[in-house]
Amino acid sequence: MTDPLAALRSLFVERCRDDLRELRRLRDQADTDAVCGIVHRLAGAAGSFGFPDISRAALVIDQRMRDGREISGVDVERLLALLVEVTNPPDAGSPRKANSDDVTSQD
């Protein structure tokens, strides 16, 4: 039986690649307002496509922002690392820990 969400999940992963690049850029520019939209969308959508860790990590940042609290760099790095894991899964024979600056550039 074919997974009915496989095509949508694939599109979500592609969007995660774009989000990863954009979040890095925004992090480097300290643009918290622009970060808000991305993390809010990730908090809602990631769990629907089978990525609950991304959803939870984004939700932590989203909640902090909505409460007017400072965003933790550790929380941002965790979200970036999770996005790296989703967009660049390790080969089955060579597991590795993701680094938030890892990504296959498709620019």
Side-chain angles (χ1 to χ4, degrees), residues 44-93:
S48 299
F49 292 107
F51 302 104
D53 292 342
I54 291 174
S55 183
R56 283 189 291 270
L59 183 60
V60 166
I61 297 167
D62 186 49
Q63 189 65 52
R64 283 182 180 271
M65 294 178 83
R66 285 190 283 138
D67 292 346
R69 294 183 289 156
E70 187 173 327
I71 301 170
S72 163
V74 171
D75 292 335
V76 172
E77 291 304 314
R78 174 164 167 66
L79 177 59
L80 293 174
L82 289 167
L83 290 171
V84 167
E85 287 178 17
V86 167
T87 58
N88 293 311
D91 295 335

Side-chain angles (χ1 to χ4, degrees), residues 19-31 34:
D19 290 343
L20 178 60
R21 281 195 230 22
E22 187 67 3
L23 285 169
R24 284 181 179 149
R25 186 183 70 75
L26 296 170
R27 173 198 59 188
D28 294 344
Q29 295 177 355
D31 188 345

